[in-house]
Amino acid sequence: MTLSRRALLKGGVVVGGAVALTGCTAPPAPEHGAGIIIRQATNIALSHHAGTRVLAFDAGNVLWVLPLAGGQARRLTEDAEDATWPSFFPDGKRIAFQSFRDGVYDIASVDVASGAVERLTRGPQYDVDPCVSPDGSRVAYVSDAGGTSAVWLLDRADGRPRPLVGTDDELAYRAPTWHPDGQRIAYVAGDSAVEVLHLATGDRRVLHTAPAGQSFRGTSYGPSGDLAYVLVDGPRSTLFRGGTALSAAAEEVAPLPPAWLSADELAYGADGHIRRRRTGDRDFVAIPFSAALAAPGSPPEIRRPISLPEQAALRGIVGPALSPDGSTVCFRALNALWLLRLGGAAEKIVDDGYFNADPSWAPDGRSVVYSSDRSGVANLWRHTIGEGCEPLTDLPDGAFVPSVDPSGDRIAFQDEAGTTSVLDLTTSEIRELVPAADYPGKPSWSPDGRYLAMTVTRPASERDAAGHNDIMVVDVESGNSTVQSIAPHRSIATRNGDGPLWSPDGKSLIAVVDSLVHRVPVARDGTIAGPPSPLSELVADSVSVSASGDVLFLSFGKVVILGGEQHTPPITCRQRKPPPAATIRAGTLWDGHSDGYRENVDIRIENGFITAVDPARPDVTPTVDASTKCVIPGLIDVHNHWHFRGRQWGSRQGPLWLAYGVTTSRSPGDPAYQMLETRESIHSGAAVGPRFLGSGEPLDGTRNSFAFMRTVSSEAQLARELQRIVALDYNVVKSYQRLPVTLERSLVEQLRDRGIPVVSHYLYPAVATGLNGMEHTGGGNRLGYSRTLSAAGGRTAEDTIRLLSSSDMWVSSTLLFANEMFVDSPDLVEDRRTKVLFPWWEYERLKEKARQAAGPGNELNRAWTRGDVDLLLRVHRAGGLVVAGTDAPLDDIGISIHQNLRAMVKHGFSPVDALRTATSNAAVALGAEGELGCIRAGARADLLIIDGDPLREIRDTSRIERVFVDGHEHDVAGLLAPFENLPECRGARPQPYAPQACCRRGS
């Protein structure tokens, strides 16, 4: 009988951890269905009502009230309200808060007696950080209405909000607080200053300025007019009253407003607890609480097969470009470029094993321009139909996503950093047009060749980097540009093939919005002249327009001509043939489960599966003699984004993963058709790489940030996303940062019968909703701070451990900040695999990361890594499931799996337990227990031959000589060979290395 982790916990598994936050003993686990009792919570916001001596606080994004003496908290809001940041009205009968129920932050209030909720603000903007005035007639808050972060005021008498400060600058504002006289408001301006605004006069005055490198957070006026605030300095946060520190150095105070209990006493959140402290006291007094969260939901039982069928119709069609006459489509599939004559045959035109992508037709229809990395760095090539290929550029920074102008004389393209340039074919001159941007979309020429249009992201405000996919129009002659929304508070679907494209008459732009093809009327210069209108009810991706105005798009793996026929490319994806039967003789073998090795064993492989693991027989001659080596299961990376920078890594990526021992790679978020193409290419043997499992675009709310996110704002649109998920056979679905709880519940319910797992960055109410996993220990959060890791030092409270270990959710490692490991062991930077397979710009950034790791400014990264591993270790010891994921390429492809393993061991995991996170544990998260991540009869033959002893020295895991995937053998030298003798290429100015903050600090 197999016990679930929930059952194991109920059976008495001890919750522990070497670096656990101090405080109360973990409460007993409730009976099944009775909910989960928590007595700690991370980043608690508080409010106090003096008349009733009651505290309000937000744990698990639920509002609770608690007697000041402590005890059992009473719930005020339901999970779907997603309630945070309480502020009492002076009569104590209602509490203002910020609610995400409708997919944007509104200011609301809740009746303390009945729990009835009233909306005080509405709209597409985010209204946050409410603070009620001393007389209860007004609410100050921060809003990004109008595209700026500003302090606003809501007068309850007329219900009209008005801005107070911040609409005319570029600062991020936070945490307004009322002076007890009701005439002044203090707030944080731009992180580095605390200001006060006099409402009657409009005068602004700086009260406090943060030292360099430090930042202010929650402010709170006391009844005597003294101001309390939190100052964050690297991994430390301190509560101040005026200029005097109140909290102890060992405490980590939540970056949220404290609550005044009297003129000289405050309550605040710190280290997962609620504490009270008087001015001048050396010690705090704990306010104990318990809160009953909902019981864990039932996640989808994973039934997605880890391998595609032996043969099936092709669905992975990438970058389709319709010919000028509308008769032919050029696209990437099965690691090649193809021509499909609509209604006719398909033929390969470029098939050299390298990464060839993003074709663009010349206006005469005789040739296509595309990007290829066959010379080492992706550059522009031209294929003339019926003749052959020729290079057009040789740029060290690369040339991607080409777009040929209507005359055929110029090509717009982007380099690896997102700089947009134009190549003049008649003079060979290249002119930079638009500086580097955050993954802009492919450029599109206006019919007269005067303008370029492309999708760019525009942040909602200085406080929120997420925003909308808007349209940039650039005057090619002057270089001047404008950015405009396709419609107020709406986004083009993604910045990856979804437009905008100019219609041949220049009167409209074609783009995908809400997963439907739309037409947008424009003036000659691209200025939007009216609202977008849908052209089809078919779920759409990747639009293209012919010279005659035909519109092509993809729908569920088919090529669709608007108003015409649907075409299934007559191409079959066939699984590559299994390798011959083989016997591998291992000197030592670790099977993925045991605590130690077996010695001198033979592993028999047939049709890609292990058929026997037996003691070596002297009369058997092994096919592969590893009698002096160690054999372990192939490594599994459950969380990366293959196509986040897929064009920049190109054909190097698959060999790099293999060379460092990753035999199964899973992406919880990529452009859908690029994911399909990679999955099919590797499955068929057309490309070299690990088994690839994937997902399409993560589902976000009304805002997004990354180029491949999808905004989802309604049940109707969610229904379209679900159609795509099922039709394209996702292995996993990621609900990103801003999908409201109600839509996330609907997503999980509708995928439960499909056996498709759902993951997100959140822990609660995700546990109650029934999500399968929490990706990251504390990833990006719509709040701008995590609810599982403290905002400064990255510490974990006991509620996180209890929720993860008493549910069936896994947590992935993604130790993005573990560059300290380069100081301990720089071998991965100097390794031949890294030097050969990293594009030069990525290698330069890697070396800079290693240099920064040794510098004095790496304290925060070290603290966050310790905190991350502490969370993982405590979950592991409590019976939860920890799996290895890297988030590459936000971390480094290939080597980051080893950085994760090494950091886990450095901070408390045993080598064998660390290795299980990347083998047998990870297989559970893939629904492939017993099939992957282990060496046993019946498992797939995914194996690593290692020259070392990884169960004693975790660094030896990277000493890989041979890799087997489904029994197919790859030696490291062979993986490097196609890239060994390419021309040396170094550019002048790679984009600098920028550490990933993972939204632990921000909005």
Side-chain angles (χ1 to χ4, degrees):
M1 179 179 69
T2 302
L3 294 177
S4 70
R5 297 189 303 282
R6 193 183 307 165
L8 286 170
L9 185 74
K10 287 170 60 179
V13 175
V14 176
V15 177
V19 200
L21 298 178
T22 58
C24 44
T25 305
E31 291 298 315
H32 180 68
I36 299 177
I37 307 300
I38 62 169
R39 290 187 169 90
Q40 292 184 17
T42 300
N43 293 329
I44 297 173
L46 294 159
S47 183
H48 174 244
H49 186 254
T52 57
R53 304 293 283 172
V54 169
L55 286 171
F57 68 99
D58 58 349
N61 292 355
V62 172
L63 288 193
W64 312 80
V65 288
L66 178 75
L68 185 57
Q72 182 175 331
R74 179 168 65 87
R75 177 192 274 255
L76 290 182
T77 58
E78 62 175 341
D79 290 347
E81 202 66 57
D82 205 307
T84 47
W85 203 287
S87 177
F88 265 108
F89 282 88
D91 61 6
K93 295 180 179 180
R94 298 192 70 82
I95 299 170
F97 65 97
Q98 60 189 32
S99 166
F100 201 77
R101 184 184 194 106
D102 295 329
V104 297
Y105 276 112
D106 296 322
I107 305 302
S109 70
V110 59
D111 186 286
V112 174
S114 68
V117 173
E118 175 189 1
R119 292 280 177 277
L120 302 181
T121 68
R122 288 186 181 274
Q125 74 280 351
Y126 280 18
D127 298 333
V128 295
D129 302 5
C131 185
V132 179
S133 65
D135 65 359
S137 67
R138 295 164 293 174
V139 179
Y141 61 98
V142 174
S143 177
D144 58 21
T148 63
S149 172
V151 179
W152 285 60
L153 186 68
L154 173 67
D155 191 319
R156 297 190 68 212
D158 60 18
R160 295 179 181 177
R162 63 183 176 92
L164 296 177
V165 60
T167 57
D168 57 353
D169 60 37
E170 297 182 353
L171 300 177
Y173 287 82
R174 307 175 194 278
T177 180
W178 289 88
H179 191 279
D181 64 11
Q183 300 301 311
R184 286 170 281 178
I185 295 175
Y187 47 83
V188 176
D191 293 348
S192 60
V194 175
E195 294 182 351
V196 62
L197 171 71
H198 195 286
L199 295 177
T201 66
D203 291 338
R204 296 170 62 178
R205 181 167 59 91
V206 175
L207 299 179
H208 301 285
T209 302
Q214 300 182 32
S215 58
F216 290 114
R217 284 300 183 262
T219 63
S220 181
Y221 268 122
S224 63
D226 286 346
L227 185 70
Y229 57 86
V230 177
L231 185 65
V232 179
D233 176 16
R236 294 165 292 278
S237 60
T238 305
L239 176 63
F240 280 79
R241 177 179 181 175
T244 303
L246 297 184
S247 57
E251 288 184 275
E252 187 185 328
V253 178
L256 302 163
W260 287 84
L261 307 181
S262 67
D264 66 346
E265 187 177 19
L266 294 106
Y268 57 97
D271 300 330
H273 300 282
I274 301 174
R275 293 170 176 167
R276 55 192 295 181
R277 183 187 285 273
R278 291 185 182 276
T279 303
D281 285 359
R282 294 184 59 186
D283 297 321
F284 60 79
V285 174
I287 301 177
F289 72 89
S290 64
L293 298 174
S298 299
E301 181 182 350
I302 307 170
R303 294 193 295 272
R304 297 291 90 185
I306 63 169
S307 181
L308 298 177
E310 290 187 10
Q311 65 178 47
L314 178 87
R315 289 180 293 181
I317 304 165
V318 177
L322 187 59
S323 63
D325 65 3
S327 68
T328 305
V329 186
C330 186
F331 56 87
R332 172 180 168 83
L334 295 179
N335 204 34
L337 288 185
W338 297 72
L339 291 181
L340 170 66
R341 274 114 188 140
L342 295 178
E347 64 171 312
K348 292 181 188 178
I349 58 171
V350 182
D351 183 22
D352 56 13
Y354 289 98
F355 189 81
N356 305 292
D358 301 304
S360 176
W361 287 90
D364 62 8
R366 295 180 55 205
S367 63
V368 292
V369 175
Y370 62 99
S371 180
S372 173
D373 67 355
R374 73 184 69 180
S375 63
V377 170
N379 267 281
L380 302 186
W381 289 67
R382 177 165 53 206
H383 177 87
T384 302
I385 309 302
E387 296 181 18
C389 301
E390 60 179 323
L392 298 178
T393 62
D394 185 19
L395 301 173
D397 296 314
F400 305 87
V401 292
S403 179
V404 182
D405 85 334
S407 71
D409 295 332
R410 295 173 296 174
I411 303 171
F413 66 92
Q414 292 158 357
D415 68 10
E416 66 89 14
T419 303
T420 302
S421 300
V422 173
L423 165 67
D424 189 319
L425 291 173
T426 60
T427 65
S428 298
E429 292 182 356
I430 295 174
R431 180 165 66 98
E432 182 179 311
L433 194 62
V434 182
D438 184 17
Y439 301 99
K442 183 174 182 175
S444 170
W445 291 90
S446 63
D448 60 6
R450 175 69 184 270
Y451 302 97
L452 281 173
M454 67 188 81
T455 312
V456 296
T457 183
R458 179 160 53 175
S461 71
E462 294 78 14
R463 176 165 163 167
D464 189 355
H468 300 96
N469 291 331
D470 290 343
I471 298 173
M472 173 182 281
V473 177
V474 186
D475 186 319
V476 178
E477 294 181 9
S478 67
N480 295 330
S481 64
T482 60
V483 178
Q484 53 192 330
S485 299
I486 196 165
H489 302 283
R490 296 180 75 186
S491 280
I492 291 179
T494 73
R495 303 197 298 278
N496 193 74
D498 288 328
L501 299 175
W502 243 292
S503 64
D505 61 8
K507 296 181 179 180
S508 59
L509 293 172
I510 307 298
V512 179
V513 182
D514 298 337
S515 288
L516 300 177
V517 176
H518 283 67
R519 186 184 303 277
V520 187
V522 295
R524 175 182 172 275
D525 64 358
T527 301
I528 293 176
S533 56
L535 301 179
S536 170
E537 290 300 314
L538 293 175
V539 173
D541 295 275
S542 302
V543 289
S544 180
V545 179
S546 74
S548 57
D550 296 312
V551 177
L552 171 149
F553 59 92
L554 298 178
S555 186
F556 305 148
K558 295 183 179 181
V559 175
V560 179
I561 300 297
L562 186 65
E565 298 180 348
Q566 300 185 24
H567 302 269
T568 300
I571 305 170
T572 300
C573 175
R574 291 184 173 86
Q575 183 176 5
R576 61 177 170 170
K577 294 180 180 179
T583 299
I584 301 174
R585 179 157 297 163
T588 57
L589 178 147
W590 179 64
D591 62 12
H593 291 280
S594 302
D595 292 333
Y597 296 115
R598 291 176 61 182
E599 295 184 356
N600 197 26
V601 295
D602 282 350
I603 307 164
R604 179 67 179 171
I605 300 171
E606 295 180 15
N607 294 318
F609 286 84
I610 298 170
T611 58
V613 182
D614 295 318
R617 292 173 48 186
D619 60 333
V620 173
T621 301
T623 314
V624 178
D625 187 357
S627 56
T628 62
K629 310 295 181 181
C630 177
V631 178
I632 70 170
L635 304 179
I636 301 170
D637 182 350
V638 303
H639 185 123
N640 59 72
H641 301 283
W642 191 292
H643 290 286
F644 183 81
R645 286 178 61 81
R647 293 181 175 94
Q648 289 87 339
W649 284 90
S651 57
R652 300 167 181 264
Q653 186 164 182
L656 181 58
W657 284 119
L658 288 177
Y660 277 108
V662 173
T663 56
T664 299
S665 167
R666 184 179 71 176
S667 167
D670 264 320
Y673 285 87
Q674 293 186 32
M675 176 276 290
L676 288 173
E677 193 275 335
T678 299
R679 193 170 69 180
E680 291 175 345
S681 294
I682 293 173
H683 177 71
S684 68
V688 175
R691 177 183 300 102
F692 183 54
L693 309 176
S695 177
E697 295 82 358
L699 305 183
D700 218 342
T702 58
R703 298 178 180 180
N704 63 23
S705 53
F706 294 120
F708 55 90
M709 301 296 179
R710 287 193 180 278
T711 54
V712 179
S713 56
S714 66
E715 283 279 1
Q717 190 189 344
L718 181 64
R720 290 192 284 271
E721 307 309 322
L722 285 160
Q723 290 179 55
R724 182 190 288 108
I725 288 166
V726 174
L728 300 185
D729 197 28
Y730 290 15
N731 296 105
V732 63
V733 174
K734 185 173 184 180
S735 169
Y736 198 53
Q737 295 184 35
R738 297 168 184 84
L739 198 66
V741 173
T742 51
L743 290 185
E744 189 168 85
R745 285 174 176 169
S746 179
L747 176 69
V748 171
E749 285 301 314
Q750 295 183 68
L751 291 179
R752 182 168 282 115
D753 291 340
R754 302 281 183 176
I756 301 177
V758 183
V759 300
S760 79
H761 285 192
Y762 297 105
L763 181 52
Y764 192 87
V767 164
T769 300
L771 271 70
N772 295 76
M774 184 176 81
E775 300 299 322
H776 314 293
T777 53
N781 192 300
R782 52 184 168 256
L783 285 167
Y785 53 87
S786 171
R787 302 313 298 260
T788 55
L789 293 171
S790 63
R795 304 181 189 181
T796 300
E798 198 60 49
D799 63 321
T800 296
I801 311 305
R802 175 159 300 287
L803 286 164
L804 282 169
S805 58
S806 60
S807 69
D808 287 314
M809 289 180 71
W810 67 74
V811 57
S812 64
S813 57
T814 60
L815 301 176
L816 293 171
F817 313 103
N819 62 351
E820 67 189 70
M821 305 312 300
F822 290 125
V823 178
D824 299 342
S825 47
D827 55 300
L828 296 175
V829 179
E830 297 300 322
D831 195 286
R832 182 70 180 162
R833 292 167 289 184
T834 305
K835 289 183 173 181
V836 170
L837 292 174
F838 269 51
W840 75 265
W841 50 74
E842 301 290 353
Y843 190 63
E844 290 299 317
R845 292 177 190 131
L846 174 64
K847 290 192 294 183
E848 177 59 26
K849 180 192 286 191
R851 283 192 291 268
Q852 290 184 17
N858 206 43
E859 180 187 19
L860 185 59
N861 280 342
R862 291 193 294 270
W864 282 0
T865 300
R866 286 194 302 272
D868 285 345
V869 179
D870 172 54
L871 183 156
L872 299 171
L873 185 61
R874 289 161 62 196
V875 169
H876 164 70
R877 289 176 173 170
L881 186 67
V882 176
V883 298
T886 64
D887 213 12
L890 293 175
D891 207 343
D892 303 297
I893 291 175
I895 65 176
S896 53
I897 190 78
H898 298 283
Q899 294 290 81
N900 273 249
L901 296 174
R902 294 176 183 190
M904 282 191 271
V905 171
K906 177 179 179 179
H907 294 292
F909 277 81
S910 68
V912 70
D913 283 338
L915 281 168
R916 287 185 183 117
T917 69
T919 52
S920 53
N921 285 11
V924 173
L926 302 184
E929 187 175 11
E931 189 174 358
L932 295 179
C934 61
I935 301 177
R936 47 162 273 186
R940 290 180 178 269
D942 291 5
L943 308 166
L944 306 181
I945 296 179
I946 293 174
D947 181 19
D949 182 0
L951 297 191
R952 183 184 62 84
E953 174 52 72
I954 195 65
R955 286 179 295 183
D956 284 359
T957 309
S958 67
R959 298 179 62 179
I960 298 158
E961 294 185 353
R962 300 190 196 185
V963 181
F964 296 80
V965 183
D966 282 337
H968 293 278
E969 181 180 1
H970 306 271
D971 68 291
V972 170
L975 293 168
L976 270 56
F979 308 92
E980 288 273 18
N981 299 314
L982 294 173
E984 182 75 9
C985 187
R986 288 291 185 271
R989 52 183 183 95
Q991 288 292 100
Y993 162 69
Q996 293 295 326
C998 207
C999 292
R1000 293 192 182 177
R1001 295 182 180 172
S1003 60

